[in-house]
Amino acid sequence: MYVVKSPLSDADLKTVAQALQGALVDLVDLALAAKQIHWNVVGQRFRTVHLQLDEVVDTVRAHSDTVAERASALGVSPDGRAATVAADSGIGPVPGGWVKDSDAVAALVDALGAVITRMRERVTVTAEPDPVSQDILIGITADLEKHHWMFQAENA
């Protein structure tokens, strides 16, 4: 059921809806992964990594809201439920228990890298059907790549 009528054709809407839903799932999971590690990081760089993880969480939570609202504006119901996120996320499992600071950084580098790869694919597929959604995805990707760079530099 569509409550909001999209200006996009059905075919374009399907492509864009899949891209936005995938982005939403990855962003929600990235926030959860970063928060899990944030609560459990230990080591000499505890404070720095702990605070840096919160920066990622703040960024991705804001972007997840933007993505969900874009989907809604196009008449697509966003799905950020735990079961959907668990089934569809592109992020691998994060370590449980206490996580040494260098391992925490490595886990975030991997998680961000996985999401960035999928975001870049979404940027490509939304170029023609919906440049507005593509622009949102480009901005998200740029922010994620900045965090990715900073975490890589942390363990250099």
Coordinates of all heavy atoms in Angstrom, one line a residue, residues 49-133:
V49 N 39.5 6.3 21.4 CA 38.7 5.4 20.5 C 37.3 5.4 21.0 O 36.3 5.4 20.2 CB 39.3 3.9 20.6 CG1 38.4 3.0 19.8 CG2 40.7 3.9 20.0
H50 N 37.0 5.4 22.3 CA 35.7 5.5 22.9 C 34.9 6.7 22.3 O 33.8 6.6 21.9 CB 35.8 5.6 24.4 CG 34.6 5.6 25.2 ND1 33.8 4.5 25.4 CD2 33.9 6.6 25.8 CE1 32.8 4.8 26.1 NE2 32.8 6.1 26.4
L51 N 35.6 7.9 22.3 CA 34.9 9.1 21.8 C 34.8 9.1 20.3 O 33.8 9.5 19.8 CB 35.8 10.3 22.3 CG 35.8 10.6 23.8 CD1 36.8 11.7 24.1 CD2 34.4 10.8 24.3
Q52 N 35.8 8.5 19.6 CA 35.7 8.4 18.2 C 34.6 7.5 17.7 O 33.9 7.8 16.8 CB 37.1 7.9 17.7 CG 37.3 8.1 16.2 CD 38.7 7.6 15.8 OE1 39.5 7.2 16.6 NE2 38.9 7.7 14.5
L53 N 34.3 6.5 18.5 CA 33.2 5.6 18.2 C 31.8 6.3 18.3 O 30.9 6.2 17.5 CB 33.2 4.4 19.1 CG 34.3 3.4 18.7 CD1 34.6 2.4 19.9 CD2 33.9 2.6 17.5
D54 N 31.7 7.2 19.3 CA 30.5 8.0 19.5 C 30.3 8.9 18.3 O 29.2 9.2 17.9 CB 30.5 8.7 20.8 CG 29.7 8.0 21.9 OD1 29.0 7.0 21.6 OD2 29.9 8.4 23.1
E55 N 31.4 9.4 17.8 CA 31.3 10.3 16.6 C 30.7 9.5 15.4 O 29.8 10.1 14.7 CB 32.6 10.9 16.2 CG 33.2 11.9 17.2 CD 34.6 12.3 16.9 OE1 35.1 11.9 15.9 OE2 35.2 13.0 17.7
V56 N 31.1 8.3 15.2 CA 30.5 7.5 14.2 C 29.0 7.2 14.4 O 28.2 7.4 13.5 CB 31.3 6.1 14.0 CG1 30.6 5.2 13.1 CG2 32.7 6.4 13.6
V57 N 28.7 6.9 15.6 CA 27.3 6.6 16.0 C 26.4 7.9 15.7 O 25.4 7.7 15.1 CB 27.2 6.2 17.5 CG1 25.7 6.1 17.9 CG2 27.9 4.8 17.7
D58 N 26.9 9.0 16.1 CA 26.1 10.3 15.9 C 25.9 10.5 14.4 O 24.8 10.8 13.9 CB 26.8 11.5 16.5 CG 26.8 11.5 18.0 OD1 26.0 10.7 18.6 OD2 27.6 12.2 18.6
T59 N 27.0 10.3 13.6 CA 26.9 10.5 12.2 C 25.9 9.5 11.5 O 25.0 10.0 10.8 CB 28.3 10.3 11.5 OG1 29.2 11.3 12.0 CG2 28.2 10.4 10.0
V60 N 26.0 8.3 11.8 CA 25.2 7.3 11.1 C 23.7 7.3 11.6 O 22.8 7.1 10.8 CB 25.8 5.8 11.2 CG1 27.1 5.8 10.5 CG2 25.9 5.3 12.5
R61 N 23.5 7.7 12.8 CA 22.1 7.8 13.3 C 21.4 9.0 12.6 O 20.3 8.9 12.2 CB 22.1 8.0 14.8 CG 22.3 6.7 15.6 CD 22.2 6.9 17.1 NE 22.3 5.6 17.8 CZ 22.5 5.6 19.1 NH1 22.6 6.7 19.8 NH2 22.7 4.4 19.7
A62 N 22.1 10.1 12.4 CA 21.6 11.2 11.7 C 21.3 10.8 10.2 O 20.2 11.1 9.7 CB 22.5 12.4 11.8
H63 N 22.2 10.2 9.6 CA 22.0 9.7 8.2 C 20.9 8.7 8.1 O 20.2 8.7 7.1 CB 23.4 9.2 7.6 CG 24.3 10.3 7.3 ND1 24.0 11.4 6.6 CD2 25.6 10.4 7.5 CE1 25.0 12.2 6.4 NE2 26.1 11.6 7.0
S64 N 20.8 7.8 9.0 CA 19.8 6.8 8.9 C 18.4 7.5 9.0 O 17.5 7.1 8.2 CB 19.9 5.7 10.0 OG 19.7 6.3 11.3
D65 N 18.2 8.5 9.7 CA 17.0 9.2 9.8 C 16.7 9.9 8.4 O 15.6 9.9 7.9 CB 17.0 10.3 10.9 CG 15.6 10.8 11.2 OD1 14.7 10.0 11.4 OD2 15.5 12.0 11.3
T66 N 17.7 10.5 7.9 CA 17.6 11.2 6.5 C 17.2 10.1 5.5 O 16.3 10.4 4.7 CB 18.9 11.8 6.1 OG1 19.3 12.8 7.1 CG2 18.8 12.5 4.8
V67 N 17.8 9.0 5.5 CA 17.5 7.9 4.5 C 16.1 7.4 4.7 O 15.3 7.3 3.7 CB 18.5 6.8 4.6 CG1 18.0 5.5 3.9 CG2 19.9 7.2 4.1
A68 N 15.7 7.2 5.9 CA 14.3 6.7 6.2 C 13.3 7.7 5.8 O 12.3 7.4 5.2 CB 14.2 6.4 7.7
E69 N 13.6 9.0 6.0 CA 12.6 10.1 5.7 C 12.6 10.2 4.1 O 11.5 10.5 3.6 CB 13.0 11.4 6.4 CG 12.6 11.3 7.9 CD 13.0 12.5 8.7 OE1 13.5 13.5 8.1 OE2 12.6 12.5 9.9
R70 N 13.7 10.0 3.5 CA 13.7 10.1 2.0 C 12.8 9.0 1.4 O 12.0 9.2 0.5 CB 15.1 10.0 1.4 CG 15.2 10.0 -0.1 CD 14.7 11.3 -0.7 NE 14.6 11.2 -2.1 CZ 13.9 12.0 -2.9 NH1 13.1 13.0 -2.4 NH2 13.9 11.9 -4.2
A71 N 13.0 7.8 2.0 CA 12.1 6.7 1.5 C 10.7 7.0 1.8 O 9.8 6.8 0.8 CB 12.5 5.4 2.3
S72 N 10.3 7.5 2.9 CA 8.9 7.9 3.2 C 8.4 8.9 2.2 O 7.3 8.9 1.8 CB 8.8 8.4 4.6 OG 9.1 7.3 5.6
A73 N 9.3 9.9 1.9 CA 8.9 11.0 1.0 C 8.6 10.4 -0.4 O 7.8 11.0 -1.1 CB 10.0 12.0 0.9
L74 N 9.2 9.3 -0.7 CA 8.9 8.6 -2.0 C 7.8 7.6 -1.9 O 7.5 6.9 -2.9 CB 10.2 8.0 -2.5 CG 11.3 8.9 -2.9 CD1 12.6 8.2 -3.3 CD2 10.9 9.9 -4.0
G75 N 7.2 7.5 -0.8 CA 6.1 6.5 -0.6 C 6.5 5.1 -0.3 O 5.7 4.2 -0.4
V76 N 7.7 5.0 0.2 CA 8.3 3.7 0.6 C 8.4 3.6 2.1 O 9.0 4.5 2.7 CB 9.7 3.4 -0.1 CG1 10.3 2.1 0.4 CG2 9.6 3.5 -1.6
S77 N 7.8 2.6 2.7 CA 7.9 2.4 4.1 C 9.2 1.9 4.5 O 9.6 0.7 4.2 CB 6.8 1.4 4.6 OG 6.9 1.2 6.0
P78 N 10.0 2.7 5.3 CA 11.4 2.2 5.7 C 11.2 1.1 6.8 O 10.3 1.1 7.6 CB 12.0 3.4 6.2 CG 10.9 4.4 6.6 CD 9.8 4.0 5.7
D79 N 12.2 0.2 6.8 CA 12.1 -0.9 7.7 C 13.5 -1.0 8.5 O 14.4 -1.6 7.9 CB 11.8 -2.3 7.0 CG 11.6 -3.4 8.0 OD1 11.8 -3.3 9.2 OD2 11.2 -4.5 7.5
G80 N 13.5 -0.5 9.7 CA 14.7 -0.6 10.5 C 14.5 -1.5 11.7 O 15.3 -1.4 12.7
R81 N 13.6 -2.5 11.6 CA 13.4 -3.5 12.7 C 14.6 -4.3 12.8 O 15.4 -4.6 11.9 CB 12.2 -4.3 12.4 CG 10.9 -3.5 12.4 CD 9.7 -4.3 12.0 NE 9.9 -4.8 10.6 CZ 9.2 -5.8 10.1 NH1 8.3 -6.4 10.8 NH2 9.5 -6.2 8.8
A82 N 14.9 -4.8 14.0 CA 16.0 -5.6 14.4 C 16.2 -6.8 13.5 O 17.2 -7.2 13.0 CB 16.0 -6.0 15.8
A83 N 15.1 -7.5 13.2 CA 15.1 -8.7 12.4 C 15.5 -8.4 11.0 O 16.3 -9.2 10.3 CB 13.8 -9.5 12.4
T84 N 15.0 -7.3 10.4 CA 15.4 -6.9 9.1 C 16.9 -6.5 9.0 O 17.6 -6.9 8.1 CB 14.5 -5.7 8.7 OG1 13.1 -6.1 8.7 CG2 14.8 -5.2 7.2
V85 N 17.3 -5.8 10.0 CA 18.7 -5.4 10.0 C 19.6 -6.6 10.1 O 20.6 -6.7 9.4 CB 19.0 -4.4 11.2 CG1 20.5 -4.1 11.4 CG2 18.2 -3.1 11.0
A86 N 19.3 -7.5 11.0 CA 20.1 -8.7 11.2 C 20.1 -9.6 9.9 O 21.2 -10.1 9.6 CB 19.5 -9.6 12.3
A87 N 19.0 -9.6 9.2 CA 19.0 -10.4 8.0 C 19.7 -9.8 6.8 O 20.2 -10.5 5.9 CB 17.5 -10.7 7.6
D88 N 19.7 -8.5 6.7 CA 20.1 -7.8 5.5 C 21.4 -7.0 5.6 O 21.9 -6.5 4.5 CB 19.0 -6.9 5.0 CG 17.7 -7.7 4.6 OD1 17.8 -8.9 4.4 OD2 16.6 -7.1 4.7
S89 N 22.0 -6.8 6.7 CA 23.2 -6.0 6.9 C 24.4 -6.6 6.1 O 24.5 -7.8 6.1 CB 23.5 -5.8 8.3 OG 24.7 -5.1 8.5
G90 N 25.2 -5.7 5.6 CA 26.4 -6.1 5.0 C 27.6 -6.1 5.9 O 28.8 -6.4 5.5
I91 N 27.4 -5.8 7.2 CA 28.5 -5.8 8.2 C 28.6 -7.1 8.8 O 27.6 -7.8 9.3 CB 28.2 -4.7 9.3 CG1 28.0 -3.3 8.7 CG2 29.2 -4.7 10.4 CD1 27.5 -2.3 9.6
G92 N 29.8 -7.6 8.9 CA 30.1 -8.9 9.6 C 29.9 -8.7 11.1 O 29.7 -7.6 11.6
P93 N 30.0 -9.8 11.8 CA 29.9 -9.8 13.3 C 31.0 -9.0 13.9 O 32.1 -9.0 13.5 CB 30.0 -11.3 13.7 CG 30.4 -12.0 12.5 CD 30.3 -11.2 11.3
V94 N 30.6 -8.3 15.0 CA 31.6 -7.5 15.8 C 32.0 -8.4 17.0 O 31.2 -9.2 17.5 CB 31.1 -6.1 16.2 CG1 30.9 -5.3 15.0 CG2 29.9 -6.2 17.1
P95 N 33.2 -8.1 17.5 CA 33.6 -8.9 18.7 C 32.7 -8.7 19.9 O 32.3 -7.6 20.1 CB 35.1 -8.4 18.9 CG 35.3 -7.3 18.0 CD 34.2 -7.2 17.1
G96 N 32.5 -9.7 20.7 CA 31.8 -9.6 21.9 C 32.8 -9.4 23.1 O 34.0 -9.7 22.9
G97 N 32.3 -9.1 24.2 CA 33.2 -8.9 25.4 C 34.1 -7.7 25.2 O 33.9 -6.9 24.4
W98 N 35.1 -7.7 26.1 CA 36.1 -6.6 26.1 C 36.9 -6.6 24.8 O 37.3 -7.7 24.3 CB 37.1 -6.7 27.3 CG 36.4 -6.6 28.6 CD1 36.3 -7.6 29.5 CD2 35.6 -5.6 29.1 NE1 35.6 -7.3 30.6 CE2 35.1 -6.0 30.4 CE3 35.2 -4.3 28.6 CZ2 34.3 -5.2 31.2 CZ3 34.4 -3.5 29.4 CH2 33.9 -4.0 30.7
V99 N 37.1 -5.5 24.2 CA 37.8 -5.4 22.9 C 39.0 -4.5 23.1 O 38.8 -3.3 23.4 CB 36.9 -4.9 21.8 CG1 37.6 -4.8 20.5 CG2 35.6 -5.7 21.7
K100 N 40.2 -5.0 22.8 CA 41.4 -4.2 22.9 C 41.3 -3.0 21.9 O 40.7 -3.2 20.8 CB 42.6 -5.0 22.6 CG 43.9 -4.3 22.7 CD 45.1 -5.2 22.8 CE 46.4 -4.5 22.7 NZ 46.5 -3.2 23.3
D101 N 41.8 -1.9 22.2 CA 41.7 -0.7 21.4 C 42.1 -0.9 19.9 O 41.4 -0.5 19.0 CB 42.4 0.5 22.0 CG 43.8 0.3 22.4 OD1 44.4 -0.8 22.0 OD2 44.4 1.1 23.1
S102 N 43.2 -1.6 19.7 CA 43.6 -1.8 18.3 C 42.7 -2.7 17.6 O 42.4 -2.6 16.4 CB 45.0 -2.4 18.2 OG 45.1 -3.6 19.0
D103 N 42.1 -3.7 18.3 CA 41.1 -4.6 17.6 C 39.8 -3.9 17.4 O 39.1 -4.1 16.4 CB 40.8 -5.8 18.5 CG 42.1 -6.7 18.7 OD1 42.9 -6.7 17.8 OD2 42.2 -7.4 19.7
A104 N 39.4 -2.9 18.3 CA 38.2 -2.1 18.1 C 38.4 -1.3 16.8 O 37.4 -1.2 16.0 CB 38.0 -1.2 19.3
V105 N 39.5 -0.7 16.7 CA 39.8 0.2 15.5 C 39.7 -0.7 14.2 O 39.1 -0.3 13.2 CB 41.1 0.9 15.6 CG1 41.5 1.6 14.3 CG2 41.0 1.9 16.7
A106 N 40.3 -1.9 14.3 CA 40.3 -2.8 13.1 C 38.9 -3.2 12.8 O 38.5 -3.3 11.6 CB 41.2 -4.0 13.4
A107 N 38.1 -3.5 13.8 CA 36.7 -3.9 13.5 C 35.9 -2.7 12.9 O 35.1 -3.0 12.0 CB 36.0 -4.3 14.8
L108 N 36.2 -1.5 13.3 CA 35.5 -0.4 12.7 C 36.0 -0.1 11.3 O 35.2 0.2 10.4 CB 35.6 0.9 13.5 CG 34.3 1.3 14.2 CD1 33.3 1.8 13.3 CD2 33.8 0.2 15.1
V109 N 37.2 -0.3 11.0 CA 37.8 -0.2 9.7 C 37.0 -1.2 8.7 O 36.6 -0.8 7.6 CB 39.3 -0.4 9.6 CG1 39.8 -0.5 8.2 CG2 40.0 0.8 10.3
D110 N 36.9 -2.4 9.2 CA 36.2 -3.4 8.4 C 34.8 -3.1 8.2 O 34.2 -3.2 7.1 CB 36.4 -4.8 9.1 CG 37.8 -5.4 9.0 OD1 38.6 -4.8 8.3 OD2 38.0 -6.3 9.8
A111 N 34.1 -2.7 9.3 CA 32.6 -2.4 9.2 C 32.4 -1.2 8.2 O 31.5 -1.2 7.4 CB 32.1 -2.1 10.5
L112 N 33.2 -0.2 8.4 CA 33.0 1.0 7.6 C 33.3 0.7 6.1 O 32.6 1.1 5.2 CB 33.9 2.2 8.1 CG 33.5 2.9 9.3 CD1 34.6 3.6 10.0 CD2 32.3 3.8 9.0
G113 N 34.4 -0.1 5.9 CA 34.7 -0.5 4.5 C 33.6 -1.3 3.9 O 33.3 -1.0 2.7
A114 N 33.0 -2.2 4.6 CA 31.9 -2.9 4.0 C 30.7 -2.0 3.7 O 30.1 -2.2 2.6 CB 31.4 -4.0 5.0
V115 N 30.4 -1.1 4.5 CA 29.3 -0.2 4.3 C 29.6 0.7 3.1 O 28.8 1.0 2.2 CB 28.9 0.6 5.5 CG1 27.8 1.6 5.2 CG2 28.3 -0.4 6.6
I116 N 30.8 1.2 3.1 CA 31.2 2.2 2.0 C 31.1 1.5 0.7 O 30.6 2.1 -0.3 CB 32.6 2.7 2.3 CG1 32.6 3.7 3.4 CG2 33.2 3.3 1.0 CD1 34.0 4.0 4.0
T117 N 31.6 0.2 0.6 CA 31.5 -0.5 -0.7 C 30.0 -0.6 -1.2 O 29.7 -0.3 -2.3 CB 32.1 -1.9 -0.5 OG1 33.5 -1.8 -0.2 CG2 31.9 -2.8 -1.8
R118 N 29.1 -0.9 -0.3 CA 27.7 -1.0 -0.6 C 27.1 0.3 -0.9 O 26.3 0.4 -1.8 CB 27.0 -1.8 0.5 CG 27.3 -3.3 0.5 CD 26.9 -4.0 1.8 NE 25.5 -3.9 2.2 CZ 24.6 -4.9 2.2 NH1 25.0 -6.1 1.8 NH2 23.4 -4.7 2.6
M119 N 27.5 1.3 -0.2 CA 27.0 2.7 -0.5 C 27.4 3.2 -1.9 O 26.6 3.8 -2.6 CB 27.5 3.7 0.6 CG 26.8 3.6 1.9 SD 25.1 4.0 1.8 CE 24.7 3.9 3.5
R120 N 28.7 2.9 -2.2 CA 29.1 3.3 -3.6 C 28.3 2.6 -4.7 O 28.0 3.2 -5.7 CB 30.6 3.1 -3.7 CG 31.4 4.1 -3.0 CD 32.9 3.9 -3.2 NE 33.6 5.2 -2.9 CZ 33.7 6.2 -3.7 NH1 33.2 6.2 -4.9 NH2 34.4 7.3 -3.3
E121 N 27.9 1.4 -4.5 CA 27.1 0.7 -5.4 C 25.7 1.4 -5.5 O 25.1 1.5 -6.6 CB 26.9 -0.8 -5.0 CG 28.2 -1.6 -5.1 CD 28.1 -2.9 -4.4 OE1 27.1 -3.3 -3.9 OE2 29.2 -3.7 -4.5
R122 N 25.2 1.8 -4.4 CA 23.9 2.5 -4.3 C 24.0 3.8 -5.0 O 23.0 4.3 -5.7 CB 23.4 2.6 -2.9 CG 23.1 1.3 -2.2 CD 22.8 1.4 -0.8 NE 22.6 0.1 -0.2 CZ 23.3 -0.4 0.8 NH1 24.2 0.4 1.4 NH2 23.1 -1.6 1.2
V123 N 25.1 4.5 -4.8 CA 25.3 5.8 -5.5 C 25.2 5.6 -7.0 O 24.5 6.4 -7.7 CB 26.7 6.4 -5.1 CG1 27.0 7.6 -6.1 CG2 26.6 6.9 -3.7
T124 N 25.8 4.5 -7.5 CA 25.8 4.2 -9.0 C 24.4 3.9 -9.5 O 24.0 4.5 -10.5 CB 26.8 3.1 -9.3 OG1 28.1 3.4 -8.8 CG2 26.7 2.7 -10.7
V125 N 23.7 3.1 -8.8 CA 22.4 2.6 -9.3 C 21.3 3.7 -9.1 O 20.3 3.6 -9.8 CB 21.9 1.3 -8.6 CG1 22.9 0.2 -8.9 CG2 21.6 1.5 -7.2
T126 N 21.5 4.7 -8.3 CA 20.5 5.8 -8.1 C 20.7 7.0 -9.0 O 19.9 7.9 -9.1 CB 20.3 6.2 -6.7 OG1 21.6 6.6 -6.2 CG2 19.8 5.1 -5.8
A127 N 21.9 7.0 -9.7 CA 22.2 8.2 -10.5 C 21.1 8.6 -11.5 O 20.7 9.7 -11.6 CB 23.5 7.9 -11.3
E128 N 20.7 7.6 -12.3 CA 19.7 7.9 -13.3 C 18.3 8.0 -12.8 O 17.5 9.0 -13.0 CB 19.7 6.8 -14.4 CG 18.9 7.1 -15.6 CD 19.3 8.3 -16.4 OE1 20.5 8.7 -16.4 OE2 18.4 9.0 -16.9
P129 N 17.8 7.1 -12.0 CA 16.4 7.1 -11.5 C 16.1 8.2 -10.5 O 15.0 8.7 -10.5 CB 16.1 5.7 -10.9 CG 17.5 5.2 -10.6 CD 18.5 5.8 -11.5
D130 N 17.1 8.6 -9.7 CA 16.7 9.6 -8.7 C 18.0 10.3 -8.2 O 18.5 9.9 -7.1 CB 16.0 9.0 -7.5 CG 15.5 10.0 -6.5 OD1 15.4 11.2 -6.8 OD2 15.2 9.6 -5.3
P131 N 18.4 11.4 -8.8 CA 19.6 12.1 -8.4 C 19.4 12.7 -7.0 O 20.4 13.0 -6.3 CB 19.7 13.2 -9.5 CG 18.9 12.8 -10.6 CD 17.9 11.9 -10.1
V132 N 18.2 13.0 -6.5 CA 18.0 13.5 -5.2 C 18.5 12.4 -4.2 O 19.3 12.7 -3.2 CB 16.6 13.9 -5.0 CG1 16.4 14.4 -3.5 CG2 16.2 15.0 -5.9
S133 N 18.0 11.2 -4.3 CA 18.5 10.1 -3.4 C 20.0 9.9 -3.6 O 20.7 9.6 -2.6 CB 17.7 8.9 -3.6 OG 16.3 9.1 -3.3

